[in-house]
């Protein structure tokens, strides 16, 4: 028997697999397909203070071995999420979730975080300072050490829950930003959000996405994400939720060897709605194949010796 | 929704750009005319959405128009090819209250998509008027299929090279009855501008998932944002913000 348990900021997970924010809605679509209690946890759709439609469509494009999205944080607003989505989720999911906190100002992040902090269903806050699809907010906070630290500290001050700060790869030095978040009180780092990208339609000679640019994710970004997890692992003491392009149990193990304590799965869920179930079911056999009996023992394993 | 493997049993060109694909597999998740499937293609990350043109317990018919590299590849697949499909997606048409002489208007690749609805309504004794709209004679397909189920078929071409010269809007003169429409967004928007119509419109959108998880396909409606894949693809007339 192998042991797939890991601990993320003091909370135990039956396995490290966590569907990524924005690719799992509030869980309900997937709960119709399989018992989502097999998941370690999941991260809900990015949530702002007020309802948002998001960006104009088209906001999805094909990538090579991946996809682009410019959804732009469509969500019904934090009050509706807590009043309407969470009770429905409670019927189908018994474990604590990650609440993905978004905003356009420090005050908004703090207001959303306060509301999620009061929810028993929320185990962790995942502070999304990395969305490439909104102007004047989101990624803006994640691209400088000062603003990343400012919003991290402000949110940390209003929550008792573990605070995971989600970073954007669209920066020159991910390590310094991760360190700034750690110093400001982050309990964990998640990375990566999507990579800023675009496509052009040859027939119309115009960008495919109405927003012109969008975020690339899926298998194409896996080596990039793996490299960033590696670098951040070397620089911080807090745990890492590694994500970006993960679609197999082997990817989960590789991400953990690079330094991830838990592993997010995003775009893979959209292509294959059973992706996380499959990854979790196959994990023990793949662990055995690579001689792993206790999964947490391999975290950062590629850095040593 | 189901995920399962289908086998291509027949790939027939209907025109230079539209192929009819017959597949064998488990269709138990398909319950209503107007639903769609998501087809996984080798080398493509995103699945491609196609309307169900017809189905039985274990056979599925799609009409695929060449539109880009994915549909090109699909149209050239040989019989015997296995494909991974998500089936039973979307709401489909509501057929609970249908007037005795419904009007079905299809444009381009939307024509095939109305076939199972036409069949369903004819089976229920409705007198179905089917207006099939194309650019030009060379694009016309499925006329005989609609005739074979006793629909009253009217063909419109923009250049008048077959049937009546005209488009979907001209078809509205055929009958002032309940309207079911599937075709390009521009056509649907033009039809929807007729406020007094009792209409059901089947929309297209770029999709990330096809089953309601990603918010990629959202449209604005009078009732707030709606997902084309999960709340649609069929919407009532008069609610969409075009
Ligand atoms: C609900 C629904 C039902 C459909 N039914 C049919 C049908 O019965 N027959 C048919 O021929 N076509 C249908 N389409 C359109 C069909 O999905 C696209 O033509 C196809 O996805 C294009 O793929 P491609 O690789 O050839 O084009 P590319 O341009 O290479 O595709 C790139 C990306 O854009 C997307 N895309 C491009 N054009 C469209 C479009 N018009 N609608 C949605 N996504 C698009 C593709 O899915 C892919 O993700 C339907 C679309 C929807 C949303
Ligand atoms: C359609 C879509 C929507 C997303 N929405 C969010 C979001 O609301 N909040 C967030 O923090 N990340 C969001 N992301 C980013 C993912 O959570 C993840 O970080 C990224 O996609 C990389 O993982 P992947 O390659 O496995 O998809 C979204 C990604 C996709 C594809
Ligand atoms: S395509 Fe993902 S929600 Fe509609």
């Amino acid at each position: 028997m192998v042991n797939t348990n890991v601990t993320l900021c003091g909370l135990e997970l039956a396995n490290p697999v966590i569907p990524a924010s924005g690719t799992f809605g509030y869980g309900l679509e997937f709960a119709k397909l399989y018992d989502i209690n097999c998941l370690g946890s999941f991260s809900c759709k990015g949530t702002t203070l007020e309802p948002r439609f998001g960006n104009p469509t088209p906001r999805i494009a094909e990538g090579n071995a991946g996809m682009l999205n410019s959804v732009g944080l469509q969500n019904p607003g934090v009050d509706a999420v807590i009043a309407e989505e969470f009770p429905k989720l409670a019927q189908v999911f018994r474990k604590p979730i990650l609440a993905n906190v978004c905003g356009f100002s420090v005050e908004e992040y703090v207001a959303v975080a306060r509301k999620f902090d009061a929810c028993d269903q929320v185990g962790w806050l995942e502070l999304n300072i990395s969305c490439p699809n909104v102007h004047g907010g989101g990624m803006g906070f994640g691209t400088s050490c000062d603003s990343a630290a400012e919003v991290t500290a402000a949110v940390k001050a209003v929550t008792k829950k573990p605070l995971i700060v989600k970073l954007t790869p669209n920066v020159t030095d991910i390590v310094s930003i991760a360190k700034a978040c750690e110093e400001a009180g982050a309990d964990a780092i998640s990375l990566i959000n999507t990579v800023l990208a675009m496509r052009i339609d040859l027939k119309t000679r115009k960008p495919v996405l109405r927003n012109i640019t969008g975020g690339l994710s899926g298998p194409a970004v896996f080596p990039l994400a793996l490299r960033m997890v590696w670098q951040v692992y070397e620089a911080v003491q807090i745990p890492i939720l590694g994500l970006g392009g993960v679609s197999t149990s082997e990817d989960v193990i590789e991400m953990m060897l690079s330094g991830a304590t838990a592993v997010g799965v995003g775009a893979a869920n959209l292509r294959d709605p059973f992706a996380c179930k499959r990854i979790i079911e196959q994990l023990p056999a793949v662990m055995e194949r690579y001689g792993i009996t206790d999964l947490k023992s391999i975290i950062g394993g590629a850095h040593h010796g | 929704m189901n995920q399962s493997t289908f086998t291509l049993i027949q790939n027939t060109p209907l025109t230079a750009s539209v192929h009819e694909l017959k597949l064998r597999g488990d269709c138990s998740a398909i319950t209503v005319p107007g639903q769609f499937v998501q087809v996984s293609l080798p080398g493509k990350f995103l699945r491609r959405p196609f309307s169900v043109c017809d189905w039985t317990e274990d056979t599925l018919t799609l009409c695929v128009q060449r539109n880009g590299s994915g549909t090109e590849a699909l149209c050239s697949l040989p019989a015997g090819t296995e494909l991974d499909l998500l089936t039973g997606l979307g709401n489909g048409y509501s057929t609970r209250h249908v007037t005795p002489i419904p009007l079905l208007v299809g444009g381009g690749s939307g024509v095939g998509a109305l076939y199972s609805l036409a069949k369903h309504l004819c089976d229920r004794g409705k007198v179905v008027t089917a207006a099939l709209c194309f650019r030009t004679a060379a694009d016309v397909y499925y006329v005989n299929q609609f005739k074979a189920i006793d629909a009253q078929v009217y063909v419109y071409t923009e250049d008048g090279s077959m049937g009546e010269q005209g488009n979907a809007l001209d078809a509205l003169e055929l009958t002032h009855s309940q309207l079911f429409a599937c075709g390009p967004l521009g056509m649907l928007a033009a039809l929807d501008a007729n406020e007094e119509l009792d209409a059901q419109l089947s929309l297209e959108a770029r999709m990330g998932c096809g089953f309601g998880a990603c918010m990629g396909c959202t449209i604005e409606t009078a009732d707030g944002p709606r997902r084309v894949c999960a709340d649609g693809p069929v919407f009532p007339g008069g609610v969409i913000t075009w």
Side-chain angles (χ1 to χ4, degrees), chain A residues 29 59 62 74 203 271, chain B residues 40 45 47 67 215 218:
Chain A
E29 284 72 26
R59 54 194 198 185
E62 172 91 15
Q74 182 187 340
K203 282 181 265 179
R271 185 194 153 69
Chain B
S40 170
F45 185 78
R47 291 170 184 266
N67 183 23
M215 305 294 145
T218 308

Side-chain angles (χ1 to χ4, degrees), chain A residues 4-6 12-18 37-41 95 262 280 283 295:
Chain A
T4 59
N5 284 16
V6 296
E12 192 156 326
L13 306 175
N15 62 67
V17 177
I18 298 180
N37 288 293
C38 69
L39 302 169
S41 177
K95 301 179 178 183
I280 290 164
L283 196 52
L295 199 50

Side-chain angles (χ1 to χ4, degrees), chain A residues 20-22 45-46 69 73 100 128 166 192-194 217-218 243-245 266-267:
Chain A
S21 179
K45 175 66 194 167
N69 89 85
L73 300 177
N100 191 261
N128 175 10
K166 185 164 179 180
I192 59 174
N193 207 312
T194 55
S217 64
L243 75 168

Side-chain angles (χ1 to χ4, degrees), chain A residues 270, chain B residues 206-218 227-230:
Chain A
L270 305 181
Chain B
R206 301 237 172 188
M207 293 184 173
C209 64
F211 51 90
C214 74
M215 305 294 145
C217 63
T218 308
R227 298 160 301 180
V228 170
C229 70

Side-chain angles (χ1 to χ4, degrees), chain A residues 160-226:
Chain A
K160 301 172 296 297
K161 308 214 191 257
L163 178 63
I164 305 170
V165 182
K166 185 164 179 180
L167 302 185
T168 168
N170 306 310
V171 294
T172 47
D173 183 9
I174 190 103
V175 168
S176 61
I177 293 172
K179 279 161 97 172
C181 294
E182 181 181 36
E183 281 162 24
D187 299 296
I189 297 289
S190 65
L191 76 166
I192 59 174
N193 207 312
T194 55
V195 179
L196 198 59
M198 72 179 291
R199 294 301 302 273
I200 293 170
D201 186 327
L202 297 189
K203 282 181 265 179
T204 61
R205 303 186 183 184
K206 294 271 182 317
V208 171
L209 299 170
R210 264 290 283 287
N211 196 48
I212 301 175
T213 59
L216 175 66
S217 64
V221 307
F222 180 71
L224 172 73
L226 198 73

